[in-house]
Amino acid sequence: TNSLTMVWRLFKTLSEEQQRYEKQLIFEHPVFAKLCQQLLRDARRMTRGDLVFSLHALVNLGVPQNTLLLQTLVRVCQEKLNQLDNRCLSVLATTLARMDKDKNVSALQAGLQLLVEQRISSIKDIFILQNLMKCLGKDAPVFLKKKLEMAVVREIDGLTFPNALRMFLALAAMNYCSFPILNPCSKKIQENVHCVPFRQLILILEACHTLLYRNVKLFSALADYVNSTAYLWDKRQIILFLSACESLGFQPTELLDIFAEKVTEDPDFLNLKNLLIVLRVYSRLNHVPRVQKHLFFETLHSSLNKCLPQISNTELLKALYALGILGYLPHRALDELLQKDSKDELILPDDPKEQNTVMLRCVKTCMELDSPSFTKPTFVLTENLSSLVPLNLRKAQEALIELLGDASMFQQNVQLPYGYHIDFEIRMDSDRKKVLPIAATDDHPDSAVQRLAFLFAPMSAFCLGTTHPQGMLAMKKRHLNKLGYHVILIQNKKFQEMKNEDAVQFLRRKIYSENVFSFPEATLQDND
């Protein structure tokens, strides 16, 4: 056991390439074969510690799970399970978490679960509890997850920084979001953020995504750390971090600006894979660099042109969809896309959610509305879909009636050209002092009439912790501006939390505020 454990300790310090080479040497060494044979003979006579540590070392060295040796050790662990102390249970749990499910492993895991249920009140070590959580995983019954949570919370005052890092991964393995555990762990990580290895930064963000845990202070601390040490990381690492942030809807503004500069300095970094990630991140987070934005988009444009000979139809569509969201129209790539569309090469049979269809429609809308030749129409054909409003818009409807005095002063569920829909529309005079009845302005269209479009959007349509709209909502707002609407974006969840009188006053300020009407019209246009 000592020999195997020492081999594993030396082995895990090597790089991946070294490990592949050394692993072959280890397995081919005649002494290793003799060691395994002796272990097979003596398995049932070994002490509990030697048994679990031997299994742990062999699994981590990559000995195939279907070998007689590993299957024998797993079965002996089943037989001696009740004899294992808490430390041995922890090592066994760590080992099982790395093994594939088979008949013997599943039986041992089930036995371990029963034993944990009996002993959980006696386990005081957070490290051991973490290992058990990882092993039991998402399939553990809810009552056991709750017991493990309570056991950790009892010991939370003794939480160390390394344990805080590991706890995120343990909870993610169980797919169990526990605020009484996650919040103290987050605080501990924020206090020691400079000690977090880069790989752990990514794992923390991925765990937060799995657990649906959104902590703006934690994400900001991690982003500030990466931002302040950006010179230490290569672009591949930063793009991994930005991609993890994007999946959480979190916008690390300064880091996005820094990375944009790095990309413009080294455009060769943008191979097809990296280009698609960059486009996805910046378009979803609706981020345009504050400095040298045109150079940034020209760099993306040039890289896309270089990739055109080998890019697939779907990848080309995704790239142009992302650029369209950001208001950028690259002619050469668009021409190629339209040629493929004319040959019906873009609509795939294995696209059940019609994502390609939606993206293609979006690209075509951007081509028309974001074109420099597009002029604001004097009249927009609208359709009132229904007098009924969804339940989550009833409060807004009632507040507008109370504020304006009559339902005839606004429209609801309005369908516009290009597939756009707005929740409520209000029309005002040219001085923006008076709300006009809808019927009167319908009968006498007037270019001086100001149109207000209210969009009550979910929190998920905004970047986390901000009122900054994400890509799709920002594009919709830009296009509605082009159609002559002044758009008022409202986070519906926060609106629903307002008292009725506060909701009315909130809408009053939105309608009669002059700031509502000062939307910038500038968008990035094509530069071929």
Side-chain angles (χ1 to χ4, degrees), residues 250-265:
F250 175 71
Q251 183 193 25
T253 306
E254 290 186 24
L255 187 59
L256 286 162
D257 284 341
I258 287 175
F259 184 73
E261 287 181 31
K262 287 179 175 286
V263 166
T264 54
E265 290 167 2

Side-chain angles (χ1 to χ4, degrees), residues 183-197:
N183 289 341
C185 287
S186 297
K187 189 175 180 183
K188 185 70 70 174
I189 291 170
Q190 290 170 57
E191 292 168 355
N192 299 273
V193 68
H194 57 283
C195 299
V196 184

Side-chain angles (χ1 to χ4, degrees), residues 328-343:
Y328 192 86
L329 303 170
H331 274 180
R332 182 179 160 193
L334 282 169
D335 289 342
E336 185 154 332
L337 182 81
L338 294 177
Q339 287 176 20
K340 291 177 182 294
D341 181 41
S342 67
K343 299 175 185 176

Side-chain angles (χ1 to χ4, degrees), residues 321 323-329 361-371 374-377 380 416-420 422 453 455 471-487 520-521 523-525:
Y321 171 70
L323 286 168
I325 285 175
L326 291 166
Y328 192 86
L329 303 170
R361 185 169 62 238
C362 173
V363 170
K364 289 181 177 179
T365 299
C366 290
M367 288 174 65
E368 186 169 344
L369 293 182
D370 291 327
S371 168
F374 182 82
T375 54
K376 185 171 74 172
V380 177
L416 301 178
Y418 306 99
Y420 284 125
I422 56 180
L455 301 181
M472 285 294 288
L473 183 59
M475 180 183 67
K476 181 177 180 178
K477 175 174 177 264
R478 183 178 77 238
H479 286 170
L480 291 180
N481 287 161
K482 290 291 186 85
L483 292 172
Y485 283 90
H486 302 289
V487 182
E521 292 293 334
T523 53
L524 284 156
Q525 300 301 338

Side-chain angles (χ1 to χ4, degrees), residues 71-195:
Q71 291 296 322
T72 300
L73 291 176
V74 169
R75 286 197 297 270
V76 175
C77 284
Q78 289 180 45
E79 295 166 9
K80 296 190 174 186
L81 190 58
N82 287 325
Q83 300 172 27
L84 303 184
D85 60 16
N86 290 343
R87 181 166 175 263
C88 289
L89 284 182
S90 175
V91 175
L92 180 59
T94 304
T95 308
L96 289 175
R98 292 182 62 90
M99 298 180 75
D100 297 328
K101 291 286 181 70
D102 63 25
K103 185 178 178 182
N104 286 325
V105 169
S106 297
L108 181 53
Q109 200 161 13
L112 181 65
Q113 180 175 308
L114 291 171
L115 195 59
V116 169
E117 290 175 28
Q118 296 169 13
R119 292 196 192 174
I120 198 164
S121 59
S122 67
I123 302 174
K124 308 293 184 185
D125 191 320
I126 285 185
F127 181 73
I128 292 176
L129 289 167
Q130 287 170 342
N131 289 338
L132 294 172
M133 291 161 76
K134 283 184 187 176
C135 172
L136 296 174
K138 62 183 179 183
D139 295 329
V142 175
F143 78 88
L144 183 56
K145 292 179 181 180
K146 189 69 179 174
K147 282 188 174 182
L148 285 163
E149 176 189 29
M150 291 169 66
V152 172
V153 170
R154 281 198 304 269
E155 309 300 327
I156 205 74
D157 290 340
L159 183 74
T160 63
F161 169 62
N163 279 341
L165 288 174
R166 285 192 290 265
M167 187 56 71
F168 266 89
L169 308 187
L171 287 168
M174 283 208 310
N175 198 12
Y176 185 74
C177 184
S178 166
F179 291 105
I181 297 176
L182 287 170
N183 289 341
C185 287
S186 297
K187 189 175 180 183
K188 185 70 70 174
I189 291 170
Q190 290 170 57
E191 292 168 355
N192 299 273
V193 68
H194 57 283
C195 299

Side-chain angles (χ1 to χ4, degrees), residues 307-331:
C307 294
L308 286 179
Q310 76 262 27
I311 198 168
S312 72
N313 294 344
T314 301
E315 288 168 338
L316 176 60
L317 183 55
K318 286 180 177 178
L320 289 171
Y321 171 70
L323 286 168
I325 285 175
L326 291 166
Y328 192 86
L329 303 170
H331 274 180

